[in-house]
Amino acid sequence: ARYLCRLLDEAERILDMREEEAGGPVQQVRLQAGPYGMPSLNIVGDTHGQLQDVLWIFYKMGVPSPTNHYLVNGDICDRGQLACEIWALFLAFMCVWPDSVHIQRGNHEDRLLNM
């Protein structure tokens, strides 16, 4: 639990910094060529707690990295039983490489829907 709390604190700091830099909640995803080649953007959505699906996507497309970016279009929660693990996985990659993961809130990440 201690490490998860540290992960959440660091992810919150990164998300607050992004919002501050953007001047609000709307952010731009910038892809720039770096020393490792041309970057790619993988758009993922509606995982609904299916960790196996996320791991399969990572296997096929590669894990988030400075040249392999992910835009997660929400709906991580609900239905499946492993939504917390998916959140932890994406937030861990975000903490290691802050520009590699961008998450948008879906309707299933609403407090009223998940009570």
Short mmCIF file of all heavy atoms in Angstrom, two decimals, residues 44-48 71-78 87 102-114:
data_model
loop_
_atom_site.label_atom_id
_atom_site.label_comp_id
_atom_site.label_asym_id
_atom_site.label_seq_id
_atom_site.Cartn_x
_atom_site.Cartn_y
_atom_site.Cartn_z
N VAL A 44 -5.94 3.97 -26.97
CA VAL A 44 -6.59 2.84 -26.31
C VAL A 44 -7.80 3.37 -25.55
O VAL A 44 -7.76 4.44 -24.97
CB VAL A 44 -5.61 2.17 -25.30
CG1 VAL A 44 -6.27 1.03 -24.57
CG2 VAL A 44 -4.36 1.71 -26.01
N GLY A 45 -8.86 2.60 -25.55
CA GLY A 45 -10.03 3.01 -24.78
C GLY A 45 -10.90 1.83 -24.41
O GLY A 45 -10.78 0.73 -24.97
N ASP A 46 -11.76 2.07 -23.45
CA ASP A 46 -12.75 1.09 -23.03
C ASP A 46 -12.14 -0.24 -22.60
O ASP A 46 -12.57 -1.30 -23.03
CB ASP A 46 -13.79 0.86 -24.14
CG ASP A 46 -14.56 2.12 -24.47
OD1 ASP A 46 -15.04 2.76 -23.52
OD2 ASP A 46 -14.67 2.46 -25.66
N THR A 47 -11.14 -0.18 -21.74
CA THR A 47 -10.56 -1.43 -21.25
C THR A 47 -11.45 -2.09 -20.20
O THR A 47 -11.39 -3.30 -20.02
CB THR A 47 -9.16 -1.19 -20.66
OG1 THR A 47 -9.25 -0.27 -19.58
CG2 THR A 47 -8.21 -0.68 -21.72
N HIS A 48 -12.27 -1.30 -19.52
CA HIS A 48 -13.26 -1.80 -18.57
C HIS A 48 -12.71 -2.84 -17.60
O HIS A 48 -13.34 -3.86 -17.34
CB HIS A 48 -14.47 -2.36 -19.31
CG HIS A 48 -15.26 -1.34 -20.04
ND1 HIS A 48 -16.04 -0.41 -19.39
CD2 HIS A 48 -15.37 -1.07 -21.37
CE1 HIS A 48 -16.62 0.40 -20.28
NE2 HIS A 48 -16.22 0.01 -21.48
N LEU A 71 -2.46 7.26 -25.55
CA LEU A 71 -3.57 8.12 -25.21
C LEU A 71 -4.71 7.19 -24.81
O LEU A 71 -5.20 6.42 -25.64
CB LEU A 71 -3.98 9.00 -26.39
CG LEU A 71 -5.25 9.83 -26.21
CD1 LEU A 71 -5.09 10.82 -25.06
CD2 LEU A 71 -5.59 10.56 -27.49
N VAL A 72 -5.09 7.23 -23.54
CA VAL A 72 -6.12 6.33 -23.02
C VAL A 72 -7.42 7.13 -22.95
O VAL A 72 -7.52 8.09 -22.20
CB VAL A 72 -5.73 5.79 -21.63
CG1 VAL A 72 -6.75 4.78 -21.15
CG2 VAL A 72 -4.35 5.15 -21.68
N ASN A 73 -8.38 6.72 -23.74
CA ASN A 73 -9.65 7.43 -23.84
C ASN A 73 -10.67 6.95 -22.83
O ASN A 73 -11.82 6.67 -23.15
CB ASN A 73 -10.23 7.31 -25.26
CG ASN A 73 -9.57 8.27 -26.21
OD1 ASN A 73 -9.15 9.35 -25.80
ND2 ASN A 73 -9.47 7.90 -27.45
N GLY A 74 -10.26 6.83 -21.59
CA GLY A 74 -11.18 6.58 -20.50
C GLY A 74 -11.79 5.20 -20.47
O GLY A 74 -11.37 4.27 -21.16
N ASP A 75 -12.80 5.07 -19.63
CA ASP A 75 -13.51 3.82 -19.37
C ASP A 75 -12.56 2.70 -18.97
O ASP A 75 -12.65 1.57 -19.45
CB ASP A 75 -14.38 3.42 -20.56
CG ASP A 75 -15.55 4.37 -20.76
OD1 ASP A 75 -15.78 5.20 -19.87
OD2 ASP A 75 -16.22 4.28 -21.79
N ILE A 76 -11.64 3.02 -18.07
CA ILE A 76 -10.74 2.02 -17.52
C ILE A 76 -11.48 1.20 -16.48
O ILE A 76 -11.27 0.00 -16.34
CB ILE A 76 -9.50 2.71 -16.89
CG1 ILE A 76 -8.67 3.38 -17.98
CG2 ILE A 76 -8.65 1.72 -16.10
CD1 ILE A 76 -7.55 4.25 -17.47
N CYS A 77 -12.37 1.85 -15.74
CA CYS A 77 -13.11 1.21 -14.65
C CYS A 77 -14.34 0.48 -15.17
O CYS A 77 -14.70 0.58 -16.33
CB CYS A 77 -13.54 2.25 -13.63
SG CYS A 77 -12.20 3.20 -12.95
N ASP A 78 -15.00 -0.23 -14.26
CA ASP A 78 -16.29 -0.87 -14.50
C ASP A 78 -16.12 -2.24 -15.15
O ASP A 78 -15.14 -2.50 -15.83
CB ASP A 78 -17.18 0.03 -15.36
CG ASP A 78 -18.63 -0.41 -15.34
OD1 ASP A 78 -19.05 -1.01 -14.35
OD2 ASP A 78 -19.34 -0.15 -16.32
N TRP A 87 -5.03 1.00 -13.68
CA TRP A 87 -4.69 2.36 -13.28
C TRP A 87 -3.25 2.42 -12.77
O TRP A 87 -2.48 3.31 -13.14
CB TRP A 87 -5.64 2.87 -12.19
CG TRP A 87 -6.88 3.50 -12.73
CD1 TRP A 87 -8.14 2.97 -12.73
CD2 TRP A 87 -6.99 4.78 -13.35
NE1 TRP A 87 -9.01 3.84 -13.32
CE2 TRP A 87 -8.34 4.96 -13.71
CE3 TRP A 87 -6.09 5.78 -13.65
CZ2 TRP A 87 -8.79 6.11 -14.35
CZ3 TRP A 87 -6.54 6.93 -14.29
CH2 TRP A 87 -7.88 7.09 -14.63
N HIS A 102 -1.11 9.63 -21.54
CA HIS A 102 -2.12 10.67 -21.34
C HIS A 102 -3.45 9.97 -21.16
O HIS A 102 -3.81 9.11 -21.97
CB HIS A 102 -2.18 11.63 -22.53
CG HIS A 102 -0.90 12.40 -22.72
ND1 HIS A 102 -0.68 13.60 -22.11
CD2 HIS A 102 0.22 12.10 -23.40
CE1 HIS A 102 0.54 14.02 -22.43
NE2 HIS A 102 1.10 13.12 -23.22
N ILE A 103 -4.17 10.32 -20.10
CA ILE A 103 -5.43 9.65 -19.80
C ILE A 103 -6.56 10.67 -19.79
O ILE A 103 -6.47 11.71 -19.13
CB ILE A 103 -5.36 8.94 -18.43
CG1 ILE A 103 -4.23 7.91 -18.42
CG2 ILE A 103 -6.70 8.29 -18.09
CD1 ILE A 103 -3.97 7.28 -17.08
N GLN A 104 -7.62 10.35 -20.54
CA GLN A 104 -8.83 11.17 -20.52
C GLN A 104 -9.87 10.45 -19.68
O GLN A 104 -9.97 9.22 -19.73
CB GLN A 104 -9.36 11.37 -21.94
CG GLN A 104 -8.42 12.13 -22.82
CD GLN A 104 -8.98 12.29 -24.22
OE1 GLN A 104 -9.88 11.58 -24.64
NE2 GLN A 104 -8.45 13.25 -24.95
N ARG A 105 -10.65 11.21 -18.95
CA ARG A 105 -11.68 10.61 -18.13
C ARG A 105 -12.85 10.17 -19.00
O ARG A 105 -13.36 10.93 -19.81
CB ARG A 105 -12.17 11.60 -17.08
CG ARG A 105 -13.19 10.98 -16.11
CD ARG A 105 -13.79 12.02 -15.19
NE ARG A 105 -14.61 12.97 -15.90
CZ ARG A 105 -15.87 12.77 -16.28
NH1 ARG A 105 -16.45 11.62 -16.03
NH2 ARG A 105 -16.55 13.70 -16.91
N GLY A 106 -13.28 8.94 -18.82
CA GLY A 106 -14.47 8.45 -19.50
C GLY A 106 -15.66 8.53 -18.57
O GLY A 106 -15.54 8.89 -17.40
N ASN A 107 -16.82 8.16 -19.06
CA ASN A 107 -18.01 8.24 -18.22
C ASN A 107 -17.97 7.25 -17.06
O ASN A 107 -18.61 7.45 -16.04
CB ASN A 107 -19.28 8.03 -19.05
CG ASN A 107 -19.35 6.65 -19.65
OD1 ASN A 107 -18.36 6.13 -20.16
ND2 ASN A 107 -20.51 6.04 -19.62
N HIS A 108 -17.19 6.18 -17.15
CA HIS A 108 -17.10 5.22 -16.06
C HIS A 108 -16.16 5.68 -14.96
O HIS A 108 -16.11 5.06 -13.90
CB HIS A 108 -16.64 3.85 -16.59
CG HIS A 108 -17.68 3.21 -17.44
ND1 HIS A 108 -18.75 2.53 -16.92
CD2 HIS A 108 -17.83 3.16 -18.79
CE1 HIS A 108 -19.50 2.08 -17.91
NE2 HIS A 108 -18.97 2.45 -19.05
N GLU A 109 -15.42 6.74 -15.18
CA GLU A 109 -14.57 7.31 -14.14
C GLU A 109 -15.29 8.44 -13.40
O GLU A 109 -14.66 9.29 -12.81
CB GLU A 109 -13.24 7.81 -14.71
CG GLU A 109 -12.26 6.71 -15.03
CD GLU A 109 -12.52 6.03 -16.34
OE1 GLU A 109 -12.84 6.70 -17.34
OE2 GLU A 109 -12.41 4.80 -16.39
N ASP A 110 -16.58 8.43 -13.42
CA ASP A 110 -17.39 9.42 -12.72
C ASP A 110 -17.78 8.86 -11.36
O ASP A 110 -18.15 7.70 -11.24
CB ASP A 110 -18.64 9.76 -13.53
CG ASP A 110 -19.41 10.90 -12.94
OD1 ASP A 110 -20.26 10.65 -12.05
OD2 ASP A 110 -19.15 12.06 -13.33
N ARG A 111 -17.69 9.68 -10.34
CA ARG A 111 -17.99 9.24 -8.98
C ARG A 111 -19.40 8.68 -8.87
O ARG A 111 -19.63 7.67 -8.20
CB ARG A 111 -17.82 10.41 -8.02
CG ARG A 111 -18.02 10.02 -6.57
CD ARG A 111 -17.89 11.18 -5.60
NE ARG A 111 -16.80 12.06 -5.95
CZ ARG A 111 -16.86 13.38 -5.85
NH1 ARG A 111 -17.92 13.97 -5.41
NH2 ARG A 111 -15.81 14.12 -6.19
N LEU A 112 -20.37 9.28 -9.51
CA LEU A 112 -21.76 8.82 -9.39
C LEU A 112 -21.98 7.47 -10.05
O LEU A 112 -22.84 6.70 -9.64
CB LEU A 112 -22.70 9.86 -10.00
CG LEU A 112 -22.72 11.22 -9.28
CD1 LEU A 112 -23.61 12.19 -10.04
CD2 LEU A 112 -23.17 11.06 -7.85
N LEU A 113 -21.23 7.16 -11.09
CA LEU A 113 -21.42 5.91 -11.80
C LEU A 113 -20.79 4.73 -11.05
O LEU A 113 -21.24 3.59 -11.18
CB LEU A 113 -20.81 6.00 -13.20
CG LEU A 113 -21.19 4.90 -14.18
CD1 LEU A 113 -22.69 4.95 -14.45
CD2 LEU A 113 -20.44 5.07 -15.47
N ASN A 114 -19.77 4.98 -10.26
CA ASN A 114 -19.05 3.90 -9.59
C ASN A 114 -19.29 3.82 -8.10
O ASN A 114 -18.47 3.31 -7.36
CB ASN A 114 -17.54 4.05 -9.86
CG ASN A 114 -17.21 3.55 -11.24
OD1 ASN A 114 -17.51 2.42 -11.58
ND2 ASN A 114 -16.62 4.42 -12.03
#
